[in-house]
Amino acid sequence: SFINESGRRVLWSWMQEGRTTRAQRAAGWSGAMTLPRRLWLDEVGVVRQEPVGELESLREAPLEWTPSAANDLHAAGNQVEFAFDAVITASSAVRITVLASPDGTEETTIDLSADDAGALRLDLDRSRSSLDCTTDASPLRGSVPSPAGSLAVRVFLDRSSIEIFVEGIALTARVYPTRADAAGIRIQSLGGATTSGVVGWKLSGVEQQDREVDPV
C-alpha cells in the first residue's frame, strides 16, 4: 500500500490461484492483481476499502436488466461492474448469482443475509462455480459490520475473479467456469429484503496484448 499525491491510502493485492499447477501451466499464466483499492478507518477503527474512482474510466455500455418476477432482476456479462442499494432486515437476504450457465450447471452464489438479531453476513458459495472438480470450491464468508439502514453493494467480475464490496467490507475470490455461456447475473430479494438503484456496466479490458509473458 502507499499514499498517493491526493492523500489516499491505496492498496494493490495479489489474488492467488485456485487451480492446480498443471492447469496454470496449461493456461500459460498464474495469479492476478485485485483492483486497486482505497483504504480508510471508520469511526470505530474498522478498516474499510473501496475500488479507486479512476476505475470508472473502464465503464463502457450499460448492462441491460430484465425483471423476471417481483424483486428478481437478470443481466449477463463476465467482465462487468454492477451496484445497488439493499435494505436487509432480520431473517432476510439478497442473493446474487453470477457467472451462471443457462441451465445452472455452473454458477457462483453470493448471499448477503441478516440473522434473527439483524447481524449481517456475506457468504460466497463456489460449490457449483466450475465443472472442473480440481479447482478450489471451498466456501468463503465473513461478517459485515455496518450501520442499520440501506447498504451500498458493489460487485466486479473479470472472468475468473470476483470482488464484492459491501459498505467498505470486501470479499475476493477466484472461480473458473468452463462453459462459454456461464455469464448470467441474477439479483434476488428474499424474505422481505429490498434492492434499489441497480446499475451496471460492461468494462473494457486493460491487458497489454504485446507484453512478454516470459521475458529473458
Side-chain angles (χ1 to χ4, degrees):
S1 71
F2 62 94
I3 297 178
N4 72 354
E5 66 278 1
S6 66
R8 294 177 298 176
R9 171 66 66 178
V10 177
L11 173 72
W12 289 87
S13 296
W14 182 256
M15 287 187 285
Q16 295 183 345
E17 284 290 344
R19 301 179 290 180
T20 63
T21 302
R22 182 177 181 178
Q24 295 170 50
R25 288 175 175 165
W29 63 281
S30 177
M33 303 300 293
T34 68
L35 298 172
R37 305 172 182 183
R38 180 180 76 90
L39 303 182
W40 75 97
L41 290 174
D42 68 13
E43 63 277 2
V44 296
V46 175
V47 177
R48 307 276 180 169
Q49 48 190 302
E50 66 181 4
V52 297
E54 287 85 348
L55 291 168
E56 294 181 7
S57 65
L58 299 178
R59 293 173 178 173
E60 294 187 333
L63 289 181
E64 297 183 4
W65 296 96
T66 303
S68 61
N71 300 318
D72 194 343
L73 292 173
H74 291 257
N78 64 3
Q79 189 173 338
V80 301
E81 169 196 357
F82 61 93
F84 57 89
D85 294 325
V87 175
I88 301 174
T89 55
S91 302
S92 70
V94 171
R95 173 165 294 171
I96 308 165
T97 304
V98 297
L99 302 175
S101 60
D103 61 1
T105 57
E106 285 191 328
E107 63 180 21
T108 300
T109 303
I110 305 155
D111 282 337
L112 181 58
S113 61
D115 62 19
D116 293 343
L120 287 169
R121 193 174 81 169
L122 187 61
D123 291 86
L124 187 138
D125 182 356
R126 297 188 289 179
S127 62
R128 296 167 62 86
S129 293
S130 178
L131 293 176
D132 180 356
C133 63
T134 68
T135 63
D136 184 1
S138 58
L140 300 174
R141 61 176 58 91
S143 60
V144 180
S146 296
S150 182
L151 302 170
V153 181
R154 198 171 174 190
V155 180
F156 288 81
L157 306 177
D158 190 4
R159 291 165 292 212
S160 72
S161 68
I162 301 174
E163 299 184 58
I164 310 155
F165 301 86
V166 181
E167 288 294 323
I169 301 299
L171 189 152
T172 305
R174 301 292 301 281
V175 296
Y176 303 92
T178 64
R179 293 180 49 160
D181 60 354
I185 301 169
R186 184 182 185 186
I187 301 174
Q188 298 170 271
S189 300
L190 307 173
T194 61
T195 61
S196 61
V198 179
V199 293
W201 301 267
K202 296 180 180 178
L203 300 179
S204 63
V206 294
E207 180 73 9
Q208 294 175 301
Q209 298 299 326
D210 58 349
R211 69 185 178 92
E212 295 183 44
V213 177
D214 295 308
V216 177

